[in-house]
Amino acid sequence: MHPASVTSNLQFSADVVRAAGYDLRALFGPQHGARGEKQDNMIESDHYTDPVTGLPVHSLYGEVRKPTPEMLRGLDALLFDLQDVGVRVYTFMWTMALAMEACAEAGVRFAVLDRPNPIGGVRREGPVLREEYRSFVGLHPVPLRHGLTCGEMARWLNDERGIGCDLSVIPCEGWRRDMSWSGTGLPWVMPSPNLPTPDSCVVYPGMVLIEGTNLSEGRGTTRPFELFGAPWLDPITLIARLNRAQLPGVAFRGCHFEPTFQKHAGALCGGAQLHVADPAAFAPVRTAVEILIAARELAPHDMAWGLPPYEYEETHPPIDILWGSASLREGVDAGATATDILAGVDADLATFSASVARYLLY
């Protein structure tokens, strides 16, 4: 559970489960904490006692990321009720996968209370993760934008990836794959502090790649992932370069901003804000690749890739585990075009789509 674990009338799901007469024994918190108390990325949560329910809260983001046998002892079932955002590098899917593994080993039933994919379930984008780049931002070969709900992903992981737990999925009622978040009629509760709006989620599949660089991805501002930049970027030159790419569904507004925390905190950054006019046409992954290419061209001596550690990975550069291979970093460094960098992605997406087809619920 986390703050977005609410019903359509904003009741906290843990309270609803208790009110329905179930014997709730413990809570489990993902990245950012069960109550969403951890603001920034890669800040671990401790185990503690929940101040509202008095129940023990087991942190699954920190030294322990897979429930231990002791955590599961005495439980009949573990309920998974997290709002995912449809992107491979968002860690909630992998918390789910590790919890499924633990439940399979302990003989505990695992139930997914499914929720809509806020960026829809029609399109898939970006490369499929290569096995040698597995990490906590990608444990299985999934595209960057996977187009699945948590329940669908759980079904695929359980059968195709051999987890084999006693799995139940409670599907959404009334959701269609082509729905935007506004089409669901559901209130938006941010699933993590830096995805404050549905607009943030729309750009996230590509803009999360900025985390693997020394550019700010807008953390420390009120529009994370929609803003990006660095002290050494000129907005006017940047916008002119990006406009030449003729990217569909998006316009760029040159701007300056000053992050209050994280990269370039307190420094004036030049950059841009993404304004998505047509989400159906917008290609967030290609857009981010063009941004990285532009930053390298305009500031070849300043733009740099981040160094490990990152999300418990000690060897590979962060950009490689975010992308799922070294091809993005190597392509940008070699001066390749976005088309060159994305070559072969469509074939991998077709293979993935075929493998998940029988597990779709909507």
Side-chain angles (χ1 to χ4, degrees):
M1 55 161 266
H2 63 164
S5 303
V6 295
T7 66
S8 57
N9 61 359
L10 295 174
Q11 290 181 282
F12 196 43
S13 59
D15 297 333
V16 174
V17 168
R18 296 181 88 186
Y22 291 93
D23 182 11
L24 196 59
R25 295 288 182 90
L27 306 177
F28 293 77
Q31 185 176 13
H32 304 291
R35 295 281 178 185
E37 66 274 10
K38 301 300 185 185
Q39 161 61 237
D40 205 358
N41 210 23
M42 291 175 281
I43 297 179
E44 297 180 343
S45 299
D46 295 323
H47 310 293
Y48 64 97
T49 299
D50 182 56
V52 179
T53 64
L55 294 170
V57 178
H58 302 303
S59 170
L60 298 181
Y61 188 75
E63 183 179 344
V64 175
R65 294 182 292 284
K66 177 178 177 179
T68 65
E70 292 75 20
M71 292 176 183
L72 297 176
R73 186 167 292 125
L75 301 185
D76 301 308
L78 181 60
L79 304 183
F80 179 90
D81 185 26
L82 299 181
Q83 177 62 62
D84 189 60
V85 299
V87 182
R88 185 220 306 140
V89 301
Y90 207 59
T91 60
F92 294 166
M93 282 291 190
W94 310 123
T95 295
M96 180 181 75
L98 293 176
M100 290 171 64
E101 291 178 9
C103 285
E105 295 162 3
V108 173
R109 182 182 177 189
F110 191 85
V112 178
L113 310 180
D114 210 9
R115 291 179 173 273
N117 184 326
I119 57 174
V122 175
R123 294 184 62 180
R124 298 189 174 95
E125 295 180 67
V128 172
L129 174 77
R130 300 295 183 244
E131 290 281 358
E132 60 268 33
Y133 290 90
R134 293 173 73 248
S135 72
F136 195 54
V137 291
L139 290 175
H140 292 271
V142 170
L144 198 50
R145 179 180 182 175
H146 53 69
L148 303 178
T149 67
C150 288
E152 293 170 336
M153 181 69 80
R155 284 158 52 90
W156 180 76
L157 289 169
N158 210 40
D159 290 355
E160 297 294 324
R161 303 298 293 172
I163 292 179
C165 69
D166 180 5
L167 174 66
S168 299
V169 176
I170 293 82
C172 306
E173 293 182 358
W175 187 67
R176 300 189 313 274
R177 309 198 77 81
D178 62 351
M179 277 185 173
S180 64
W181 185 263
S182 62
T184 68
L186 295 172
W188 177 256
V189 179
M190 53 188 185
S192 56
N194 286 288
L195 289 178
T197 69
D199 290 343
S200 313
C201 297
V202 170
V203 302
Y204 182 73
M207 296 305 289
V208 68
L209 297 170
I210 307 300
E211 287 189 12
T213 74
N214 64 344
L215 281 76
S216 167
E217 65 274 12
R219 290 180 186 272
T221 77
T222 57
R223 306 301 288 191
F225 298 107
E226 294 175 65
L227 289 169
F228 71 95
W232 29 263
L233 278 179
D234 171 58
I236 296 174
T237 309
L238 175 66
I239 296 305
R241 170 62 183 80
L242 290 173
N243 286 341
R244 291 205 303 272
Q246 297 183 316
L247 292 159
V250 65
F252 298 94
R253 178 183 64 86
C255 64
H256 291 85
F257 62 92
E258 187 176 295
T260 58
F261 60 84
Q262 248 252 14
K263 286 183 277 186
H264 308 304
L268 184 65
C269 294
Q273 181 178 357
L274 281 69
H275 293 264
V276 179
D278 185 354
F282 175 55
V285 175
R286 176 176 283 273
T287 298
V289 172
E290 290 283 8
I291 288 170
L292 293 174
I293 291 171
R296 172 66 83 205
E297 288 180 4
L298 298 176
H301 302 296
D302 294 306
M303 189 270 199
W305 306 109
L307 300 175
Y310 175 82
E311 292 291 1
Y312 305 103
E313 164 61 40
E314 301 286 342
T315 304
H316 293 301
I319 193 65
D320 290 4
I321 62 170
L322 288 167
W323 186 249
S325 75
S327 65
L328 172 61
R329 175 175 53 83
E330 293 172 350
V332 171
D333 287 348
T337 66
T339 298
D340 291 337
I341 290 170
L342 292 166
V345 164
D346 286 346
D348 287 347
L349 290 176
T351 300
F352 178 80
S353 295
S355 77
V356 300
R358 61 187 290 240
Y359 302 105
L360 302 184
L361 295 168
Y362 314 95

